[in-house]
Amino acid sequence: MTKDRDIELKKKIGNKIRSLRLNKDLTQADVCGDEAELTIRELARIENGYVFPSLSKLVF
């Protein structure tokens, strides 16, 4: 996968996750709860397309 496609895919995944969260009227804090599984910072980095979410984070 090229770097440009990698960046594009991270942004697309992040936007989809953010869209799903907002459609349910949830804040990042609502999704993360006690942050044992996912921190607000991790979720923000995923939604902003900086990192790929791991499979365990997608399942969460």
Side-chain angles (χ1 to χ4, degrees):
M1 186 176 289
T2 65
K3 186 175 181 177
D4 290 339
R5 287 186 65 196
D6 193 43
I7 292 169
E8 182 181 323
L9 184 57
K10 284 190 279 189
K11 287 182 180 183
K12 188 179 277 190
I13 291 170
N15 286 335
K16 182 65 174 179
I17 291 170
R18 178 183 288 120
S19 176
L20 291 169
R21 176 178 61 78
L22 293 175
N23 284 339
K24 294 183 177 209
D25 293 323
L26 297 172
T27 65
Q28 290 177 333
D30 292 333
V31 172
C32 296
D34 66 2
E35 299 189 69
E37 299 289 329
L38 178 69
T39 67
I40 293 171
R41 181 179 174 152
E42 287 174 318
L43 180 56
R45 290 178 52 78
I46 292 167
E47 287 185 350
N48 289 316
Y50 294 125
V51 296
F52 278 118
S54 65
L55 184 57
S56 64
K57 301 297 185 208
L58 285 174
V59 171
F60 174 73

